[in-house]
Amino acid sequence: MEIIKQKRVWQVFVLLATVFGICIVIKGRADISSSRKGFFAMDTYMTVTVEGSKASKAAELAEREVNRLDEELSTGIEDSPVSTINRTGEGYLPEDLDYLLKRSYEIYQMTEGAFDITIYPVMKAWGFGGDSFCVPKAETLKELLNHVNMDGLQYDQQLHVLHLESGAMIDFGGIAKGYTGDRVASVLQERGVKSAMINLGGNVRVIGRKSDGNDWRIAIQSPDSAEQYLGVVSAHDVSIVTSGGYQRYFEKDGIVYHHIIDPDTGYPANSGLLSVTIISEDGTLADGLSTALFVMGKDDAIKLWKEYSDMFEFILYTEKRELYVSSGIYDTFTSELPVYIVE
Ligand code: AMP
Ligand code: MG
């Protein structure tokens, strides 16, 4: 009898240990869970993938931050601060916009005006501000270009009040998603997220490495086909931002007109590049430069990189279907196409 009793005690012990063990395994699995959230904002489809505990809550916060910024930055939302300034010629810039105005001016100076947020009157004339596209007359563009000049903005830094001269308008479309990626990354990191990928319609920001310890792998879309890739970048803790005429355009009389405008001519940039990818820890800079380098063309883009090679890396894809890649990321970029390394 005694022996049987002891056996029962052991059986109960083994049963409890097993259940407890299973609980630990299940809890462990939950800790490395991953959550992916997709949503539509800023005129594009976005996805946020978060790995680790509380992943779904973090993905929800990411969406909230994107929507908050969309409401501030959008030229399409009637009452956004940007729309109000464009309509009335004057307005207050909340903190995010104050920061973006300063960063935009930095990039404007760095790129000798290739990036210029005062391009908006010209964007509108082409119909890129709304839905009905048209090819403006040359004299219309000539007149509108008189208002394209970031140096003409008057900004009271103390009061955060921006004043536009008559006819001038601003648009942060060339830098907004890069900044949004930076902000979402901050929000997630403040919540303790160590591993995430934020994909804002081709503007990608990665936090840390994947939970298996490997770098994130980001495919760069080919301008020639939505089903093809130029190559894959392996990276951690950076933004990877791509600009290209193929992302938004219309066709009239057999000619394709895209949405990245050369501030010198008022016409869609025709610099011999089909796409520009910028890799940088600074997503705001990456976005501004992806637009600017697309306007500038290969040779000037390379010249600029040589001056600021500590701040960003690039992948340029030309109309001749050649890939130029800066030396700092060559090791982490794989492609089946021939690649020219720029030292
Ligand atoms: P991205 O996709 O980052 O190259 O940004 C393209 C968007 O930037 C356009 O849809 C416009 O809103 C805006 N944009 C177009 N041309 C310029 C330019 N030269 N400088 C600044 N922003 C521009
Ligand atoms: Mg950009």
Side-chain angles (χ1 to χ4, degrees), residues 9 11 19 21 30 39 46 49 105 132 141 197-198 211 223 245 248 320 334 337:
V9 170
Q11 277 170 346
V19 170
F39 52 95
M46 307 188 165
T49 309
Y105 192 58
S132 52
L141 290 175
M197 180 192 276
I198 303 146
S211 51
R248 203 160 170 229
K320 293 183 187 157
T334 48
L337 300 169

Side-chain angles (χ1 to χ4, degrees), residues 114-116 119 123 171 173-174 243 247 259-261 263 287 291 295:
F115 182 82
D116 190 335
I119 198 72
M123 292 296 298
D171 168 24
S243 283
Q247 292 174 340
H259 69 137
I260 303 176
I261 306 292
D287 196 359
T291 310
V295 172

